[in-house]
Amino acid sequence: MLYYLFQYLENEFSLPGASVFQFITFRAAAAFILSLLISAIYGKRIINFLRNQQVGETVRDLGLEGQKQKTGTPTMGGLIIILATLIPAILLAKLDNIYVIILLITTVWMGLIGFLDDYIKVFKKDKDGLKGKFKVLGQVGLGLFVGAMLYFNDGVTIKEQLPIEQQVVQENGRKKVFGEAHKSTKTTVPFLKNNELDYSKALQFLGDGYEKYGWIIFIFITVFIVTGISNGANLTDGIDGLAAGSSAIMVITLAVFAWVSGNIIFADYLDVMYIPNSGEMTVFILAFAGALVGFLWYNTYPAQVFMGDTGSLTIGGIIAVIAIAIRKELLLPILAGIFVVENLSVILQVSWFKYTKKKFGEGRRIFKMSPLHHHYQKLSYHESKIVVRFWIVGILLAVLTIVTLKLR
């Protein structure tokens, strides 16, 4: 909204300094600061409101140290993250940008699913919350929506680099490096020199014209990633500050990729896929990052508030959608490695338990407890130490992800 206001003031009244709102970097920095302040300053009021409404966490007795002391801590703190993200994004981003629209819808969509889950747990006194099939249905629905929008909307295109012999100098003196904007099901593959993969090629067996069915594969991949990453974030939210801190690292890394992908000069220099208008996502992404950092003020050990599914499902959904939108979803096993490992630890634990119970008559476990962070708690590591070490691993994974820009 402020973008359009200052654009009007500059055009009509030549207001000094108004042109600064044309720059994505300025608006993104302002969004980060504003969201951090909103979550840090007004977060306390939201926590007090949740406490007055008796929105307290009912902690299951899992035999973990310090667990009982957390009973009654306000949950649904994800509302802080959502509000602190939406307000700066609406104020500072271009609201006619298709990528921003998708991210705003993703935030509200996943926020509602998580809120409903938390509401059932807290107010209906049902510890299982929203039934798993309905939760998955909501995630799949979002994946279908996002996949369809990213494929069928005319505002979503890419530009590919032309062969060197076709790169000509234009009348304005600039070299034309990229071809015309077009729709595509291509994505980026890390560590490879010719690092683009076209999903539609999975349908080559259909013969001529197989490309027009590429959207089926693209949407299927989108659904899988949205569901997997949002569940991964949900499982990671088990100890104070782990999910919020790890997510902030991932989100800031994705902001770098979004800005580079939407900037034709840096896309050319780094030889990455140029996605017109995707740079505007940087404003939303940094607003989201600021909200996560501000939330950590209250969520680090000992936590004054838990994000609940309202926050964790929203976080995972947003990270997945950003990665897909900038065609970097195949980097998620690296960047979101913590989410992936947390997911795998649960899958392996449950699968091995069922297998051994069927074969030997008693279930056996790989880990002392899953998800993985609880395994370390069972080994008597203090949760603050676990969280900081997970953050360090997250930073290393983020650096490795950024290095893929040039390491091929």
Side-chain angles (χ1 to χ4, degrees), residues 166-186:
Q166 295 181 24
Q167 296 180 12
V168 297
V169 178
Q170 303 176 96
E171 292 181 0
N172 58 12
R174 292 184 178 179
K175 195 174 185 179
K176 184 177 181 181
V177 177
F178 293 92
E180 298 302 318
H182 64 280
K183 304 198 74 61
S184 174
T185 54
K186 287 186 177 181

Side-chain angles (χ1 to χ4, degrees), residues 1 17 53 55 63 88 90 94 114 127 146 150 169 194 223 269 286 297 318 329 336 354 371 391 394 405:
M1 293 168 62
Q53 297 300 312
V55 184
I90 292 171
K94 292 182 182 178
K127 62 182 180 180
V146 171
L150 290 176
V169 178
N194 299 314
V223 169
Y269 174 71
L286 284 187
W297 187 270
I318 293 174
E329 66 272 18
K354 289 182 177 179
W391 287 356
L405 284 168

Side-chain angles (χ1 to χ4, degrees), residues 1 3-4 89-98 100-101 104 280:
M1 293 168 62
Y3 169 83
Y4 302 104
I90 292 171
L91 285 174
L92 293 162
K94 292 182 182 178
L95 299 180
D96 59 350
N97 181 283
I98 183 59
V100 172
I101 292 171
L104 290 173
E280 190 64 27

Side-chain angles (χ1 to χ4, degrees), residues 322-334:
I322 293 169
I324 295 165
I326 58 177
R327 312 298 171 105
K328 299 293 183 292
E329 66 272 18
L330 297 185
L331 282 171
L332 284 177
I334 303 172

Side-chain angles (χ1 to χ4, degrees), residues 18-40:
S19 61
V20 74
F21 277 82
Q22 300 296 315
F23 297 101
I24 290 174
T25 48
F26 173 80
R27 288 184 286 116
F32 179 85
I33 294 170
L34 181 58
S35 63
L36 194 155
L37 291 175
I38 290 173
S39 57

Side-chain angles (χ1 to χ4, degrees), residues 13 15 30 34 72 123 213 303 387 399:
F13 306 104
L15 181 69
L34 181 58
F123 293 103
Y213 301 108
V387 169
V399 171

